[in-house]
Amino acid sequence: MEAKTARFVTPLIINGLRRLRGRRDGGPKITAGLRAGCPGGCGLEVTARRNVVCDFNWIGGAGRLPCMIYKTMDKLLTVIIPVYNTEETMDRCVESVVSQGYGRMEIILVDDGSPDGSPAKCDRWAGRDGRIRVMHKANGGLSDARNRGLDVATGDYVTFVDSDDFVEKGTYQALMAVLDGHPEYDILEYGVWKFYGSPRRERLAFADREYADTGRYWLDCAAYAHSYMWNKIYRRALFDGIRHPVGLPFEDILTLPLLLDRAKVVATSSLGLYYYCWNERGITANARGKEYRTLLDAHLRVIGKYRGRHGFWRYYLHVLNIQLTECALTGDSPRLEGRRVPLSECCGAAQRLKAAALNCLGMRWLCRAYMAFARVREAAVRLRQKA
């Protein structure tokens, strides 16, 4: 009998892997192997090793076909990795992608005119793995680099990875299995270790859910608070005619609502993990008044269409935080419309206190009070630094 080997992932394996999930360095791992025969009796023996990289060894008779629950995952996934001044971290990033265990990938490294050794590393990676393509271009920023990758992407699905971050092994294999079983999904979001490598490290995890109403996804899942481009896999056709805004910070929150307007079904998954690594030079660590103006603008464009829906007030208070910060950093007058917030809609004491202050003072006076508080807090920090 001639042995044949193929790669599949099935609901049986995924469920077994969920039961076996353990922990390693704050992330998931499989602590034991899973071995089972095909329940359909087709003669397929299944072995799962490490996360969800699974080998299926054909041991049946010649001419037989695998059970119908096992489907070949033949969809091409494009992974776009913008690279700029990340010589120290890009090897970790690219290695995490090429070792995913999902073979149907094209990996596009976009060198955004990096002045360090990153361009040479990109070329070396292309020489080592035939799935990797390299684009060298003049510096245009993160959005421009992502857009250039989208211009040449050919995958059925597309995702993004920042070159100072990395992806847990087996993530794409598991998520593409989910998409294989649910071809109606336009966007699939998965978990994140936020600010990995810093004391602020925080785990963002999701249940397995689907949203036929993208408004429910935005509000019930609080997608407005994790509108990152990189912890999601998208149907590439969603980007037809849509690109990231070049030259603006917080480009993710400006782009995701446009994609949601086109998406019919969005889902979240408990599988997979993206490591969003803390970067002291990044926009999150260094955002000032100009950046917060852009962030507030992005939310003001969309908040109105969710008024009256369940979860609106939680979103409103999220945008209020951004408005207060923008006023404190710029001295601008508030642009978010002041509204009376039902205290019953607030989650936790901090939200209730902020809502009560807004209801009593109004938007303008609340912003003035917050600006005064911010000045006092900044003066106290300076005094501590001098002491």
Side-chain angles (χ1 to χ4, degrees), residues 29-42:
K29 74 171 182 178
I30 302 309
T31 57
L34 177 67
R35 195 173 192 86
C38 171
C42 69

Side-chain angles (χ1 to χ4, degrees), residues 9-227:
V9 174
T10 72
L12 169 68
I13 296 302
I14 292 175
N15 290 335
L17 291 171
R18 284 180 182 141
R19 289 194 297 270
L20 292 170
R21 179 176 295 152
R23 308 278 293 201
R24 174 175 60 80
D25 294 332
K29 74 171 182 178
I30 302 309
T31 57
L34 177 67
R35 195 173 192 86
C38 171
C42 69
L44 200 63
E45 182 178 67
V46 182
T47 305
R49 301 185 187 92
R50 301 178 62 84
N51 294 0
V52 286
V53 182
C54 307
D55 293 330
F56 291 69
N57 299 304
W58 177 254
I59 58 174
R64 296 183 61 192
L65 295 175
C67 171
M68 287 302 294
I69 68 168
Y70 297 103
K71 297 171 62 181
T72 303
M73 294 186 293
D74 59 353
K75 298 298 185 182
L76 181 63
L77 173 65
T78 298
V79 183
I80 297 173
I81 307 177
V83 177
Y84 183 77
N85 273 6
T86 51
E87 181 180 10
E88 295 180 357
T89 60
M90 71 163 292
D91 282 339
R92 178 187 63 183
C93 170
V94 179
E95 178 64 37
S96 77
V97 173
V98 300
S99 61
Q100 279 295 302
Y102 187 74
R104 291 278 293 155
M105 286 195 300
E106 67 169 358
I107 303 165
I108 303 175
L109 302 180
V110 185
D111 163 36
D112 191 35
S114 185
D116 65 357
S118 299
K121 283 196 170 187
C122 288
D123 292 334
R124 284 197 293 271
W125 272 107
R128 291 168 54 183
D129 194 311
R131 297 172 297 175
I132 296 178
R133 302 164 58 187
V134 178
M135 301 178 64
H136 297 287
K137 58 180 286 297
N139 179 248
L142 177 61
S143 289
D144 188 52
R146 286 177 175 172
N147 292 343
R148 290 291 294 273
L150 285 169
D151 290 343
V152 300
T154 62
D156 302 284
Y157 295 93
V158 63
T159 191
F160 303 89
V161 184
D162 286 353
S163 56
D164 48 2
D165 300 336
F166 62 101
V167 184
E168 179 74 12
K169 190 170 183 178
T171 290
Y172 294 156
Q173 181 92 340
L175 297 175
M176 291 304 291
V178 173
L179 291 169
D180 188 60
H182 296 274
E184 71 276 15
Y185 291 174
D186 293 308
I187 301 175
L188 180 61
E189 182 171 22
Y190 62 100
V192 182
W193 264 116
K194 298 168 58 178
F195 315 129
Y196 190 75
S198 84
R200 296 177 57 196
R201 188 173 78 166
E202 176 186 357
R203 178 72 182 268
L204 175 65
F206 298 99
D208 297 316
R209 290 195 60 183
E210 62 180 52
Y211 301 85
D213 177 356
T214 59
R216 283 190 58 218
Y217 166 69
W218 188 255
L219 295 174
D220 295 355
C221 192
Y224 50 81
H226 44 87
S227 58

